[in-house]
Amino acid sequence: MCGIVGAIAARDVVPLLVDGLKRLEYRGYDSAGIAILVDKAIHRVRRVGRVVEMENAAQAEQLRGQLGIGHTRWATHGGVTEPNAHPHISFGKIAVVHNGIIENHEQQRERLQQLGYAFESQTDTEVIAHLIHHYYQASADLFDAVKRASRELTGAYAIGVIAADRPDELICARMGCPLLLGLGDNENFIASDVSAILSATRRVIFLEEGDIARLTRAGVQIMDQHDQTVQRTEHLSDISLASLELGPYSHFMQKEIHEQPKALSDTIDAVLECGFDSVLFGAQAATLLPKLDGVKILACGTSYYAGLTAKYWIESLAGIPCDVEIASEYRYRAAWAKPSHLVVTISQSGETLDTMEALKYAKQLGHHCALSICNVRESALPRASELVFYTRAGAEIGVASTKAFTTQLVALFALAVTLGKLQGNISAADEARYLDELRHLPGSVQHALNLEPQIKAWADKFANKANALFLGRGLHYPVALEGALKLKEISYIHAEAYSAGELKHGPLALVDENMPVVVIAPNDALLEKVKSNMQEVRARGGELFVFADADSHFSESDGVHVIRTPRHVGILSPIIHTIPVQLLAYHVALARGTDVDKPRNLAKSVTVE
């Protein structure tokens, strides 16, 4: 969840580090810092708050150097204070930045204290700095010291390390958290995310589990967890700097909501090119998918709600069972495994630690076929999976996921229809119809975006509320869940979602004139049921905010507000109805004056438990 950037170059790296940290702000953070090597001494600047505050301090000190590391911290161990901010330094000789959680830090802290080390912070990271220093004293070899120290760490980490008397090398290591190398001309970099180094290079190497790397200006050396020198594949990033800029928009979330027609079109193109064919999911899919008779989906947060939608599609179209589990729960229970079920992991970043660990657990239980649905190429989950479907959402900066979610739904729909074909449940005519519906989906989403002025007018009615309720049924119940999540994430209004049929079983007790109730009411087979549930709300004085289809028969009245989305688009309707709940959350957050792109306490890439 933290962000790491490091550089070794023949030029001043301070601007590179600061720019990289600014591009990592989207991951979520509460403090930032850099450590620069100057004349065989480590100079550190740290500040609580935004990167710009740390940048101003570094400029005031006229900090310059050709080797350095930087960090944005999202607090886990220890509060949001400057002493807890990274980088951490041991005896003025070793500086470390760290993403992840060290589970055995208490034991290591006790051991290091007995060795004479004094701790200045409450963090688990300071343990790493002192442990490396301990081994560096013995060997005078920074690479060896990092290797020995990392072998004693239990948990997840990505670390960058510099030493005061080693001006010509930058060491890094990775276990469980993302870390990549950037390759330049007489300069090289480390980063948590390629966005941090795009202004300097597009050439990247993704480190694998247990890798340790030495970077010099001339090149990089990588050793795997078996102490073997290895060559990792170099990739050319296709992310553009323009995609990381706001352009004409006020916030990244607004930009990314409006980018959905293109993101969906780009993702759908892969399906239109080859139809609902196994090849969509990788070279092994034609062999593996026909052998499977069920699906288990593992995901967290918004991706979990995408999985809940997929359950409806897979069971109705493919006619096989589909279970959806919260990854952080699944990995810690005595789960029952059926190896003939496909394990599907869903993650925007491909680095979500709970989902990664859940996949490992599923494989330990005997599952042998995994599909990763992911937006980031060569990230951890795709590399650990036999099959992969890359969504084409482009860079997503806002913490609250928007276009990543809707493109995940497209991928999951493609999976459902493909499995349906393999099960003999989808005819050629069905396939042609579903392809046509996908082809028209971006246009329908654009029509939904055109509702923004009407949705914005609703925002003032929510801005002073403390609670909200979202209702949906069937395929649209997960949309209600996603709408409630978006509202609570960025506006800090407490919001809950229920299947509308559950009203009488508890939630109706909450309904009064102060409880706005958002209803997802498409013109489908459950519409009359939803109308009955709405009457239950009105009878208790609740104020209704209804997202209906253009061809639904609703009329506004006192306490009933209606916005009509485009005509009902059938089985893909959840994607259309996601747009207005995203816009509602966005405009309510604006009305309340919250930080839309960086909501408090949250991070974009959740790489810790």
Side-chain angles (χ1 to χ4, degrees):
M1 297 170 79
C2 307
I4 289 173
V5 64
I8 182 167
R11 55 173 165 159
D12 178 24
V13 300
V14 173
L16 295 171
L17 298 181
V18 171
D19 179 70
L21 293 180
K22 287 180 177 178
R23 296 188 186 281
L24 291 172
E25 285 185 318
Y26 76 93
R27 296 171 73 92
Y29 72 103
D30 45 53
S31 58
I34 57 174
I36 304 295
L37 192 60
V38 184
D39 297 327
K40 292 193 174 182
I42 295 173
H43 292 253
R44 176 178 61 183
V45 177
R46 299 180 294 178
R47 290 292 185 272
V48 170
R50 297 299 189 206
V51 171
V52 68
E53 296 171 42
M54 185 275 297
E55 178 186 18
N56 291 338
Q59 289 176 346
E61 294 186 19
Q62 297 183 330
L63 195 59
R64 293 176 59 85
Q66 297 176 339
L67 172 63
I69 50 179
H71 189 269
T72 54
R73 176 177 186 253
W74 187 87
T76 53
H77 296 76
V80 182
T81 66
E82 191 169 305
N84 287 333
H86 297 215
H88 288 284
I89 296 178
S90 180
F91 282 96
K93 300 296 185 182
I94 301 292
V96 172
V97 290
H98 165 228
N99 180 18
I101 287 180
I102 304 304
E103 295 174 0
N104 63 337
H105 72 98
E106 291 180 351
Q107 300 94 309
Q108 293 288 358
R109 179 182 288 254
E110 183 178 338
R111 170 194 170 197
L112 288 161
Q113 286 173 331
Q114 291 173 355
L115 291 171
Y117 287 91
F119 284 78
E120 300 176 351
S121 77
Q122 302 165 296
T123 69
D124 54 340
T125 301
E126 194 175 358
V127 162
I128 305 173
H130 292 321
L131 194 58
I132 292 172
H133 180 270
H134 170 66
Y135 285 119
Y136 187 59
Q137 280 188 305
S139 67
D141 184 330
L142 186 59
F143 187 89
D144 180 69
V146 172
K147 180 177 72 173
R148 293 177 68 182
S150 64
R151 300 299 188 248
E152 296 189 18
L153 301 175
T154 301
Y157 57 81
I159 58 176
V161 186
I162 61 174
D165 57 356
R166 291 284 176 172
D168 298 321
E169 64 179 359
L170 165 62
I171 310 299
C172 64
R174 182 223 162 155
M175 180 64 75
C177 292
L179 194 65
L180 58 86
L181 310 182
L183 308 179
D185 183 12
N186 200 31
E187 57 187 23
N188 291 298
F189 312 88
I190 65 171
S192 298
D193 187 313
V194 69
S195 63
I197 57 173
L198 270 182
S199 63
T201 184
R202 294 182 180 279
R203 297 167 54 209
V204 297
I205 292 174
F206 298 97
L207 295 182
E208 298 190 7
E209 290 288 89
D211 282 354
I212 300 176
R214 174 190 283 116
L215 289 77
T216 65
R217 293 177 185 83
V220 302
Q221 173 195 357
I222 304 171
M223 183 177 288
D224 68 13
Q225 58 187 326
H226 305 296
D227 295 338
Q228 300 296 312
T229 299
V230 293
Q231 297 291 326
R232 300 295 186 207
T233 305
E234 180 182 324
H235 301 269
L236 190 65
S237 173
D238 59 0
I239 297 175
S240 69
L241 277 175
S243 70
L244 306 177
E245 304 295 341
L246 269 175
Y249 297 98
S250 300
H251 302 90
F252 280 107
M253 184 177 181
Q254 182 190 32
K255 177 189 180 195
E256 287 153 13
I257 289 172
H258 283 270
E259 285 176 340
Q260 285 176 109
K262 183 179 189 308
L264 288 166
S265 180
D266 289 346
T267 302
I268 289 167
D269 278 348
V271 184
L272 298 180
E273 187 176 329
C274 59
F276 296 103
D277 191 276
S278 299
V279 72
L280 281 170
F281 307 99
Q284 299 183 64
T287 302
L288 294 173
L289 289 183
K291 301 175 183 177
L292 303 171
D293 57 9
V295 177
K296 179 176 287 293
I297 297 176
L298 305 172
C300 301
T302 287
S303 296
Y304 171 69
Y305 297 148
L308 290 179
T309 308
K311 177 180 174 69
Y312 288 93
W313 284 334
I314 290 169
E315 294 194 345
S316 64
L317 297 177
I320 57 176
C322 177
D323 294 325
V324 188
E325 300 216 32
I326 298 171
S328 58
E329 291 293 318
Y330 171 79
R331 63 181 286 206
Y332 288 117
R333 72 177 183 83
W336 177 81
K338 189 173 182 182
S340 59
H341 283 194
L342 171 68
V343 174
V344 178
T345 59
I346 313 170
S347 168
Q348 188 280 142
S349 68
E351 303 284 356
T352 307
L353 184 63
D354 282 320
T355 308
M356 189 70 205
E357 293 301 316
L359 175 58
K360 291 179 184 177
Y361 180 51
K363 292 197 169 186
Q364 290 170 8
L365 293 177
H367 287 284
H368 59 82
C369 183
L371 164 66
S372 168
I373 293 175
C374 178
N375 192 45
V376 179
R377 291 186 177 274
E378 298 300 323
S379 50
L381 279 165
R383 292 202 305 270
S385 304
E386 289 73 24
L387 309 177
V388 62
F389 186 106
Y390 286 114
T391 56
R392 299 178 183 179
E396 187 177 70
I397 305 301
V399 167
S401 181
T402 52
K403 61 179 180 174
F405 174 68
T406 50
T407 53
Q408 286 170 355
L409 290 177
V410 167
L412 290 161
F413 180 73
L415 175 65
V417 179
T418 301
L419 291 174
K421 281 181 62 180
L422 293 172
Q423 296 292 323
N425 295 334
I426 302 294
S427 67
D430 292 332
E431 180 178 11
R433 184 174 74 257
Y434 292 141
L435 286 171
D436 191 56
E437 290 179 3
L438 278 179
R439 190 176 289 109
H440 288 94
L441 180 65
S444 296
V445 166
Q446 184 59 59
H447 284 302
L449 287 169
N450 294 340
L451 300 171
E452 187 168 12
Q454 299 174 57
I455 295 169
K456 183 179 179 180
W458 279 6
D460 289 339
K461 297 179 183 294
F462 282 76
N464 63 350
K465 302 296 185 182
N467 304 282
L469 190 63
F470 284 69
L471 302 177
R473 296 198 76 158
L475 265 173
H476 297 83
Y477 169 49
V479 176
L481 288 165
E482 174 64 6
L485 176 63
K486 283 291 163 285
L487 190 67
K488 71 181 77 169
E489 276 183 312
I490 63 170
S491 76
Y492 315 145
I493 292 174
H494 171 247
E496 297 296 334
Y498 284 89
S499 171
E502 284 291 289
L503 267 176
K504 295 185 291 293
H505 300 284
L508 203 55
L510 299 172
V511 173
D512 61 17
E513 66 276 7
N514 294 315
M515 173 73 81
V517 179
V518 179
V519 184
I520 314 300
N523 189 18
D524 61 10
L526 292 172
L527 179 60
E528 294 306 315
K529 299 290 185 185
V530 173
K531 286 182 177 179
S532 297
N533 302 138
M534 289 167 55
Q535 292 302 317
E536 295 166 0
V537 171
R538 282 302 298 139
R540 275 78 181 178
E543 189 170 11
L544 289 161
F545 296 83
V546 185
F547 290 115
D549 290 335
D551 45 3
S552 296
H553 298 291
F554 278 101
S555 58
E556 289 205 5
S557 60
D558 184 39
V560 180
H561 312 280
V562 180
I563 290 178
R564 301 183 189 280
T565 62
R567 63 176 179 80
H568 186 53
V569 296
I571 200 165
L572 294 175
S573 177
I575 299 175
I576 303 301
H577 279 272
T578 294
I579 308 304
V581 298
Q582 292 174 349
L583 288 168
L584 178 64
Y586 173 73
H587 284 288
V588 172
L590 287 187
R592 289 171 66 89
T594 61
D595 191 337
V596 174
D597 287 334
K598 305 180 187 71
R600 67 188 183 201
N601 305 332
L602 299 180
K604 181 67 176 174
S605 182
V606 186
T607 55
V608 296
E609 286 194 71

